[in-house]
Structures are given as structure tokens and as C-alpha cells.
Amino acid sequence: MMNTTDTNSKVKVRVPATSANLGAGFDVFGLALDCLYDEVYMELTTGKSIEILGVEGYDVPEEPSENCAAVAASKVFEMKGYAHGAKMWMRKCIRPKSGLGSSAASSVGGALAASKLLGGLSYEDILLCAGEGERVSSMSAHLDNVAPALLGGFTIIRSYSPLDIVRLEAFSSMGIVVVLPEVEVSTKEARAILPESAPVKDVVRNAGNASAFVAGFIREDIALMGRAMVDAIFEKAREPLMPWLSDIRKVAIGAGASGLSLSGSGPSVIALFDKREHRGKEISKAITEAFLENGIDSEGFICSVGRGAMEISEGAVI
Ligand code: HSE
């Protein structure tokens, strides 16, 4: 068993927003974004439990058993056989229930900070601990947001035994517009309405789209990636929660986007564009105007594929 003097006793980490699914890659694809970040500060204590001393920004539960970061950190403590406690502060800039990986950012922040304080775990173990944080918010330990939040880039999760995590590096012409509407959709709610089974033709369409998206990424073919951002099963099942989606897609493509999908379980949308041919500004403007026509305010972000979670100025209190 370790004690608090074995390693550094405080750390601060920064974790990016992420977008999962990207069309047909349900629970498989994830992309780190370079526009929004959360921070987690953690200090080991000689106490017996994890305490949350403050959350700045968006509201999240401060009761440790309901807080994704604290749950993920406690899984790391368990794995490392650490029997003491920690105190934590969080800065939440990624809105919960936005589809931008807010719970994943908290979970990765908690797991990575705890791992750094206790001498390190493998990336795979950090991801599994962060997955337990995700379970608190959505009842499911899916890793499609936590993988890019931790590793950066574009990630593909094969979540069966053995777990495979494939990470692909971004390419420079890939532009991203993310638009966050002023409506909330919880992942729990958006998963509860998913079908138990799907027609073979939709499964075939999704397999083609997911494969083409990856091929497009490898070939740096944004037009192919955009055409492939279509999910005939899960996104379709969620449309009653977000009936504006097909309007928004049409408008985005009309303004120069190669394709658009829900970001994760929504309500954010993510559009891809080729930076050599278009500017994100027009696409973002067209999407926010289309939301407004549907009676919804929204905020657009123009971004690129981001780096993964990292330690920042160790020891500083937020
Ligand atoms: N793949 C997940 C879903 C992402 O669509 O439910 C949300 O966390």
C-alpha cells in the first residue's frame, strides 16, 4: 500500500471536450476538440474519502458518489491499493447534457489526476476507471468520449475482450464546427429510447458509413467523411427528441459543410468542412440561424481536432 509521501501530493489536469459517434460510429468513434476544456485539481489527504471542495462553472453533483470525477478517482485509488483520501476542485466549462463529453471530461480528469498522484496507471486502466465515472451519469460505461478526452485525436474503440483502442492523428485541412443549442438532452434519456434491434438494411448502411468515415480520415478525404456521417439506427431513433436535426443538416451542407451529425447523444451538432475550401464562420452562422428559426438559441464553435488531457501547472489551486 502507498502512503501520501510516495509521490507528488497535488496535481491539476485539463481535459478537452469531445464528440462521439460522428454518424454511424455509435459508442465507437470519438474526436477530441480544441475549443472547450474542464479542469480538475486534486490533492491527496490523510483522510479516508474523496471530498469535493468546490465546483466553478456549470453545476455538477458535489456528493462524491454522484460525481463522475470522484467516482473515477476512487476506482484508481482502489486499483492502486491506496487507502487514504483526496480533496478536489473542478472547473466545469463543458456544459453537462450538451453532447460534448462533459461527464467524460470529469471522469478522465478524476482518473488521470488520481493516477498521476499515485505513480501512474496504464492508459487502458485509466480509461476503464474513467468509464466507471461515465456509468454514474449515463448508466453505461461507454468509452467513446473518454478515449479521445484522454488520448486526443480521433479514436476508435473496440470494446470487447480484448479491448482495442485505435488512435489516429488529425490532419490539417479538417475543420470542425460544433453548435450547442440551448436545450438539454441527457445521455440517459437519449439511450433509453434506442431500439433493441435494427433491420439488416440499416445495419449494412451503418457498416458502410462507419467504414467509409475511417477510410476518409486515413485518406484525408473530408468529402467522403461528410457523406458517411449518417446513422440510420441510433440517430434516427433520437430524432423525436431533436426534430430539427434534418433541417440543421440540410442548412449546414448548403453552407459548405461536408456532413453533419449529432455530437454524441446531442443536442450539440458537429459539422466537418474542408479548410482549403470553406471557412467555418459561414457554416456556424447558417446553423445558429437555422436553430433560431426553430425557436432555439445556440452557440457555435469553430475548432480543430484537439490534444488529449494533460497536466497543467502542478500544485496551483484553481
Ligand atoms: N455514444 C454515446 C451515445 C455518446 O450516443 O449514447 C454519449 O455519451
Side-chain angles (χ1 to χ4, degrees), residues 20-21 26-27 134 142 144-145 187 191 238 264-265:
N21 300 347
F26 177 80
D27 280 1
E134 273 287 57
H142 52 278
D144 53 347
N145 285 102
T187 300
R191 291 180 85 84
R238 286 170 168 167
S265 54

Side-chain angles (χ1 to χ4, degrees), residues 28-48:
V28 172
F29 294 165
L31 203 59
L33 304 172
D34 69 351
C35 51
L36 286 170
Y37 299 88
D38 279 357
E39 291 173 6
V40 172
Y41 172 86
M42 191 180 293
E43 229 179 281
L44 296 181
T45 64
T46 50
K48 287 276 170 226

Side-chain angles (χ1 to χ4, degrees), residues 226 229 235 245 248-249 252-253 258-262 269-271 287:
M229 285 177 89
E235 197 171 90
L245 182 60
I248 301 288
R249 175 178 285 119
I253 292 172
S258 303
L260 174 142
S261 70
L262 286 178
V269 292
I270 177 167
I287 297 174

Side-chain angles (χ1 to χ4, degrees), residues 57 143 163 176 193 201 217 219 234-235 253 291 313:
L143 301 179
L163 172 68
I176 300 169
I193 61 166
K201 71 174 178 22
F217 196 97
R219 287 164 39 172
F234 307 99
E235 197 171 90
I253 292 172
F291 269 119
S313 64

Side-chain angles (χ1 to χ4, degrees), residues 227-247:
R227 286 197 298 281
M229 285 177 89
V230 177
D231 172 6
I233 302 172
F234 307 99
E235 197 171 90
K236 201 168 170 22
R238 286 170 168 167
E239 277 207 41
L241 291 177
M242 292 161 276
W244 33 259
L245 182 60
S246 55
D247 270 6

Side-chain angles (χ1 to χ4, degrees), residues 20-166:
N21 300 347
L22 303 162
F26 177 80
D27 280 1
V28 172
F29 294 165
L31 203 59
L33 304 172
D34 69 351
C35 51
L36 286 170
Y37 299 88
D38 279 357
E39 291 173 6
V40 172
Y41 172 86
M42 191 180 293
E43 229 179 281
L44 296 181
T45 64
T46 50
K48 287 276 170 226
S49 57
I50 297 182
E51 288 174 280
I52 298 171
L53 298 188
V55 178
E56 199 183 291
Y58 288 110
D59 254 0
V60 289
E62 294 192 29
E63 159 56 40
S65 64
E66 293 166 20
N67 179 286
C68 306
V71 168
S74 71
K75 291 289 166 196
V76 173
F77 286 5
E78 235 175 83
M79 219 177 244
K80 295 293 275 185
Y82 176 72
H84 291 292
K87 49 188 181 182
M88 287 176 43
W89 286 263
M90 300 172 71
R91 176 178 284 150
K92 287 293 304 171
C93 300
I94 308 169
R95 200 193 83 188
K97 300 184 183 171
S98 63
L100 295 174
S102 179
S103 55
S106 296
S107 304
V108 166
L112 181 64
S115 158
K116 282 187 174 286
L117 290 174
L118 298 181
L121 280 178
S122 67
Y123 278 137
E124 213 167 90
D125 283 341
I126 295 173
L127 282 180
L128 294 175
C129 294
E132 292 307 312
E134 273 287 57
R135 195 191 296 281
V136 174
S137 93
S138 66
M139 319 260 280
S140 151
H142 52 278
L143 301 179
D144 53 347
N145 285 102
V146 297
L150 181 66
L151 304 172
F154 171 48
T155 53
I156 300 170
I157 294 285
R158 202 190 136 272
S159 47
Y160 299 93
S161 189
L163 172 68
D164 288 307
I165 303 157
V166 180

